Amino acid sequence: MDQQIELKTIDDLINKVAKYNKNKKELNKIREAYDYAYLKHQNQYRKTGEAYIYHPLEVAYILTSITADIPCLIAALLHDVVEDTTTKKEEIAEKFGEEVANLVVGITKLSRINFSTDNDYLIEYYKKIIVGMSEDVRVIILKLVDRLHNMRTLYVLPIEKQKEKAKETLEILTPIAHHLGINRIKSELEDLSLRYLKPEVYYDIVEKLNNNKLERDNAVNEMLNEVKALLKEHNIKHEIKGRSKSIYGIYKKLDTGRKFNDIYDLLALRILVKTEQECYLALGIIHSKYRHLPKRFKDFIAMPKANRYQSLHTTVFGLEGQLFEIQIRTYEMDEIAENGIASHWSYKEKKTVKEDNLSLTEQKLQFFKSIIDLKEDRLSTEEFVSSVKKDLLNNNIYVFTPKGDVIELPKGSTPIDFAYRVHSKIGDSMVGALVNNSIVSLDYELKDDDIVKIITNKNSQGPSKEWINMAKLTHTKSKIKSYFSSSMKQDNINLGKELIEKELRKKNIDFNLFYSDENIDRILQKYKLMTLNDIYLNIGNNKIGASNIIDFVFKKETVTLPKIGGHVIKNADNDIIVAGIDKVKVNLANCCNPLPGDHIIGYITKGTGITVHRINCHNLNNVTDRTIAVKWNSELTKRYLANIIIHTSKTTNNNLFEIMQRINFNSASIDSVKTLSKIDETVYEISLLVIGKEHLNKITNDLNRLTYIHNIERIIR
Ligand code: MN
């Protein structure tokens, strides 16, 4: 499978460029760029064993086949310099100009993104990202050619990697090449991808093609000569050539269930003429001699494809009744068919800089229209146009999640926009944000390449109204607003909670007594509700009276618990062993969150079971008659919730991040983080899951070593 590739030299490259650009100064600049890249990549090698410089050289060489301009060729030679060496953009700008530097930076940005994915949505997204991130269409072409050379040398990678790259190429890059109309590059990328993705299929097709190649070549040649004579007879100046179908193209047809022998465009001709009229003229002449298949006739001259492809296609019965596919087009159409968008910025059409920029912008707009496909038809036309405009004006930034997923946002976006873009749940429960590992305020303006981590807390109070002004995107603002309109509901929930707790206080009933899982379940069942919030909501809405609920829970209960006996029975399912009682429901009180190692005491609730408190929990101050001795079941190794409050000096450093790191380092997991106050000192409330008291002590001791921590306390509510 190895292929012997003859290594190109810088002289080969320059000779090739000189065929379409004779400007000595510019040719010298290419040599200069080569020498520069050569030094930068010294002692670096490709996996294929060659010196690294052969890769950029080869990329530039391939680009000459589409008559790339000088800045593009120079950028090709330098394209890996920023990524793989310590070179800075400024240095390149100084030596080779801003235009080249921008191209190099553009391709470097693209190379940092890992595009492989199994998610269809992301495939669409990545296509858009590649286009959106490239200020200049040449960056995309550079990327495609860079990949082409890497695909040509893909055999050096392990099979896993080969398949991954081939898949990515086929899913993301060849569609872009197609949209840009760069068919020659697209076609080679497709064939190479297929070869690594499905080698059996690929080599099977190659073999079949080889089997009757001679026959086919003969048939094509005979037909070619006939048609040539025919057109000459009618005085149509033309060029005609036999055409081979790409292996991938054949694979696609076989994939739709066709038999190899039924693929008729295996025999194909292409006729090039000067003018559009001559295309139709030639077509008429051919149709008058050979019968054609009406269904297979296509006029892409009158109706160009989205990527501006133009040509006439017809399929005729040729010699010995064999089907031939014939394409007829002008030279200009052929150039566009092969090189697509690249045929525009090629050297020979170079206009003034301003005109050039304009047409690049136009090209990009057109390109965007074709690439943002149905997946985004949720957007209204207006939104679509404004989103494209923003992209065109390059007002977008690209930031990353901690996992490396790229998120595209308009310039000026804040962590709030980021959070809501990821998910409105993330936005609604956001309590803070880290950018590049430092805590930032929520109105911080995100910059390109920032790594953004949103800190959430499921107990958060929800977004604040100020966020509406801090958000950049209308989309974000409306999500926050919709939170508040549904928070009318929230207000009633809060009211309901207040009402019921007021009633409990009035009746002198301990909250924990009321809030047992069992009580709540009974209420939910009785009123046919789903959640505790539903209960509150119904009270807040005045649908159910708070006192009715309390009466329902406490009126008919009479708990009989066995007397505290002498012997201890193990209740293996529980965290807690209760003196004298076997199967009994035990809850850990969430006012003081006892941990294994804490001195604890049980409280016999009126409803059901036993709630376990820390012995010093103030909620038990005045009750003695209903307590029961309990102890920890030492055989369980669960994790328990501990709530701590940390007082720190008010600094702008990334204290919270460090605190979280320390906690993590001590192998406890963080359940939630809340910033309580930022007035004199910064106070955090952190809920974490620990093994027991000892574990918690170890963590707090460790945290106390941080100089900015004043004090840490465990909460009893
Ligand atoms: Mn490269």
Side-chain angles (χ1 to χ4, degrees):
M1 203 142 102
D2 264 25
Q3 42 188 210
Q4 204 57 47
I5 299 168
E6 214 177 297
L7 294 174
K8 301 279 182 316
T9 66
I10 178 63
D11 290 323
D12 292 335
L13 175 67
I14 287 178
N15 290 338
K16 190 91 186 292
V17 181
K19 286 192 177 139
Y20 62 90
N21 183 349
K22 308 234 182 290
N23 185 325
K24 273 260 152 52
K25 233 172 136 190
E26 295 194 322
L27 292 175
N28 279 337
K29 209 73 196 166
I30 292 180
R31 192 178 292 276
E32 212 180 290
Y34 171 82
D35 291 339
Y36 179 81
Y38 180 87
L39 284 176
K40 289 288 180 183
H41 289 299
Q42 222 171 15
N43 301 325
Q44 291 178 351
Y45 292 89
R46 296 270 289 172
K47 288 212 175 70
T48 44
E50 295 109 40
Y52 196 90
I53 188 66
Y54 285 110
H55 166 64
L57 186 60
E58 194 67 39
V59 171
Y61 194 84
I62 297 171
L63 279 165
T64 61
S65 70
I66 50 175
T67 55
D69 61 10
I70 303 297
C72 193
L73 293 169
I74 294 177
L77 289 169
L78 304 178
H79 83 269
D80 279 330
V81 156
V82 174
E83 183 65 11
D84 296 345
T85 73
T86 53
T87 315
K88 291 271 170 303
K89 180 193 170 182
E90 290 70 28
E91 192 182 322
I92 292 176
E94 200 187 302
K95 283 209 152 61
F96 301 99
E98 200 67 30
E99 187 182 1
V100 169
N102 283 334
L103 291 172
V104 172
V105 167
I107 183 103
T108 305
K109 264 190 189 178
L110 286 186
S111 65
R112 289 198 179 129
I113 303 173
N114 177 15
F115 290 111
S116 38
T117 176
D118 283 324
N119 179 324
D120 284 348
Y121 177 75
L122 280 182
I123 289 171
E124 289 313 309
Y125 189 57
Y126 283 144
K127 284 188 212 159
K128 199 171 158 246
I129 291 289
I130 291 178
V131 180
M133 270 175 101
S134 315
E135 295 173 30
D136 186 321
V137 75
R138 289 176 296 184
V139 171
I140 307 173
I141 293 167
L142 266 167
K143 172 78 191 172
L144 291 170
V145 175
D146 178 33
R147 176 56 61 93
L148 178 56
H149 184 240
N150 287 332
M151 289 296 291
R152 283 183 184 173
T153 53
L154 196 61
Y155 59 88
V156 290
L157 294 185
I159 288 179
E160 276 297 281
K161 266 267 171 252
Q162 288 177 356
K163 293 209 188 286
E164 191 184 302
K165 283 282 162 207
K167 182 168 173 284
E168 184 186 305
T169 302
L170 213 48
E171 284 177 340
I172 295 165
L173 294 170
T174 60
I176 290 179
H178 171 75
H179 279 293
L180 291 170
I182 313 173
N183 278 322
R184 205 178 298 162
I185 289 168
K186 173 197 145 195
S187 182
E188 191 181 344
L189 281 172
E190 282 176 343
D191 282 359
L192 285 165
S193 300
L194 184 66
R195 170 174 154 191
Y196 291 104
L197 218 46
K198 300 190 169 177
E200 341 68 51
V201 179
Y202 176 87
Y203 286 106
D204 185 47
I205 295 172
V206 170
E207 204 185 302
K208 281 187 174 130
L209 282 173
N210 282 337
N211 278 345
N212 46 19
K213 187 175 187 326
L214 206 67
E215 261 171 64
R216 254 194 355 263
D217 285 354
N218 283 339
V220 168
N221 268 331
E222 269 180 62
M223 182 72 177
L224 188 147
N225 288 329
E226 253 195 51
V227 174
K228 204 176 182 61
L230 183 69
L231 293 176
K232 211 174 165 191
E233 208 177 288
H234 289 84
N235 282 324
I236 297 175
K237 272 204 178 139
H238 67 276
E239 252 173 63
I240 183 166
K241 45 192 174 186
R243 191 168 60 86
S244 58
K245 188 137 193 85
S246 80
I247 293 169
Y248 186 78
I250 295 170
Y251 157 73
K252 281 305 249 190
K253 295 206 163 152
L254 293 174
D255 208 34
T256 59
R258 305 259 285 277
K259 293 259 161 28
F260 189 79
N261 290 329
D262 297 343
I263 299 174
Y264 21 72
D265 39 6
L266 286 177
L267 298 174
L269 294 177
R270 179 175 299 156
I271 300 166
L272 302 179
V273 292
K274 255 201 172 137
T275 67
E276 200 179 297
Q277 290 94 312
E278 283 173 333
C279 292
Y280 290 104
L281 203 56
L283 179 78
I285 294 164
I286 289 166
H287 278 184
S288 68
K289 170 149 186 187
Y290 306 98
R291 201 155 55 82
H292 75 280
L293 291 172
K295 265 194 190 159
R296 298 270 308 163
F297 171 67
K298 289 198 180 84
D299 182 353
F300 293 117
I301 293 179
M303 301 269 286
K305 290 190 188 177
N307 61 17
R308 299 182 53 258
Y309 174 89
Q310 286 187 300
S311 187
L312 297 174
H313 291 190
T314 188
T315 303
V316 301
F317 291 93
L319 295 163
E320 294 165 28
Q322 292 191 89
L323 286 165
F324 282 82
E325 191 192 68
I326 300 178
Q327 300 178 339
I328 307 168
R329 54 174 79 147
T330 67
Y331 291 97
E332 202 191 334
M333 291 172 192
D334 193 49
E335 168 72 18
I336 292 170
E338 292 288 323
N339 297 331
I341 210 159
S343 58
H344 285 269
W345 53 266
S346 67
Y347 179 79
K348 54 185 182 259
E349 281 190 27
K350 189 150 182 146
K351 298 163 193 159
T352 68
V353 175
K354 207 177 165 194
E355 262 176 309
D356 227 30
N357 281 345
L358 186 71
S359 80
L360 285 174
T361 307
E362 277 167 0
Q363 285 165 29
K364 210 171 154 187
L365 176 63
Q366 181 206 343
F367 186 29
F368 252 99
K369 275 187 194 146
S370 67
I371 206 156
I372 301 176
D373 61 9
L374 298 168
K375 292 257 154 66
E376 304 228 347
D377 63 4
R378 286 174 260 116
L379 293 176
S380 71
T381 323
E382 221 167 273
E383 279 172 318
F384 171 78
V385 170
S386 88
S387 115
V388 170
K389 249 195 213 146
K390 273 177 196 153
D391 288 329
L392 279 173
L393 298 172
N394 212 43
N395 266 341
N396 281 8
I397 53 162
Y398 297 88
V399 295
F400 296 85
T401 68
K403 276 178 169 169
D405 295 330
V406 56
I407 304 271
E408 179 190 29
L409 291 166
K411 246 179 212 162
S413 292
T414 63
I416 300 174
D417 295 300
F418 179 92
Y420 279 94
R421 170 61 67 86
V422 174
H423 201 288
S424 55
K425 263 192 201 154
I426 305 271
D428 288 344
S429 59
M430 171 167 65
V431 291
L434 294 171
V435 169
N436 306 326
N437 287 341
S438 300
I439 293 214
V440 296
S441 62
L442 293 183
D443 58 358
Y444 167 88
E445 189 179 324
L446 295 172
K447 313 246 171 347
D448 249 339
D449 300 334
D450 275 348
I451 298 168
V452 188
K453 182 173 165 54
I454 299 298
I455 306 163
T456 58
N457 181 329
K458 60 182 179 194
N459 300 322
S460 103
Q461 302 297 305
S464 119
K465 282 213 163 124
E466 287 165 43
W467 291 10
I468 297 174
N469 295 326
M470 293 179 184
K472 163 90 181 172
L473 291 165
T474 7
H475 170 79
T476 315
K477 291 178 197 283
S478 71
K479 283 212 164 159
I480 300 171
K481 281 178 194 154
S482 86
Y483 175 90
F484 282 110
S485 66
S486 73
S487 78
M488 275 288 282
K489 184 176 149 194
Q490 189 60 44
D491 287 346
N492 279 330
I493 291 175
N494 294 342
L495 178 65
K497 185 170 191 302
E498 256 171 53
L499 287 172
I500 202 148
E501 290 179 354
K502 207 163 147 193
E503 197 67 25
L504 287 169
R505 254 178 253 123
K506 209 164 91 189
K507 295 200 157 112
N508 223 347
I509 299 171
D510 187 289
F511 285 11
N512 296 302
L513 270 175
F514 174 75
Y515 283 118
S516 73
D517 289 351
E518 222 125 334
N519 283 345
I520 301 304
D521 283 347
R522 279 174 57 211
I523 300 168
L524 294 178
Q525 241 168 38
K526 159 134 174 119
Y527 293 99
K528 300 199 164 45
L529 299 172
M530 295 298 291
T531 66
L532 179 59
N533 273 349
D534 293 342
I535 299 176
Y536 292 147
L537 185 62
N538 278 283
I539 297 169
N541 284 340
N542 256 333
K543 285 191 186 134
I544 310 174
S547 55
N548 290 357
I549 286 191
I550 293 170
D551 287 349
F552 164 71
V553 170
F554 292 109
K555 272 272 165 65
K556 55 180 174 183
E557 53 70 42
T558 39
V559 194
T560 46
L561 277 173
K563 290 251 152 31
I564 299 174
H567 66 293
V568 170
I569 300 164
K570 227 181 224 176
N571 186 353
D573 298 336
N574 273 342
D575 314 285
I576 302 292
I577 297 163
V578 181
I581 307 168
D582 194 353
K583 296 252 156 74
V584 64
K585 189 170 164 62
V586 178
N587 300 308
L588 298 180
N590 48 24
C591 47
C592 54
N593 294 103
L595 297 175
D598 282 329
H599 291 296
I600 48 174
I601 187 158
Y603 177 86
I604 302 165
T605 62
K606 280 190 187 168
T608 44
I610 291 167
T611 305
V612 175
H613 293 258
R614 270 148 72 187
I615 206 133
N616 55 347
C617 178
H618 56 73
N619 291 317
L620 286 180
N621 274 353
N622 301 318
V623 279
T624 44
D625 52 334
R626 292 221 233 138
T627 53
I628 184 171
V630 291
K631 65 180 217 178
W632 290 100
N633 178 355
S634 57
E635 280 169 32
L636 286 183
T637 48
K638 274 169 54 179
R639 293 257 166 174
Y640 297 86
L641 194 71
N643 294 317
I644 55 174
I645 289 195
I646 304 180
H647 299 260
T648 69
S649 4
K650 199 172 153 60
T651 59
T652 47
N653 292 338
N654 46 353
N655 295 350
L656 182 56
F657 183 69
E658 197 172 10
I659 290 169
M660 287 161 63
Q661 266 185 328
R662 289 240 170 168
I663 292 173
N664 257 320
F665 185 72
N666 279 290
S667 39
S669 47
I670 294 170
D671 191 53
S672 66
V673 178
K674 195 155 51 174
T675 306
L676 295 181
S677 155
K678 282 197 168 180
I679 302 166
D680 296 324
E681 44 177 22
T682 309
V683 182
Y684 304 111
E685 180 182 329
I686 299 183
S687 299
L688 56 165
L689 293 163
V690 296
I691 297 163
K693 194 183 177 187
E694 238 174 82
H695 187 195
L696 182 65
N697 285 344
K698 190 166 161 263
I699 293 165
T700 50
N701 287 340
D702 192 23
L703 287 175
N704 273 322
R705 283 190 207 120
L706 297 169
T707 49
Y708 50 81
I709 291 189
H710 299 158
N711 163 35
I712 304 176
E713 46 184 327
R714 248 179 103 186
I715 307 174
I716 298 182
R717 289 196 172 89

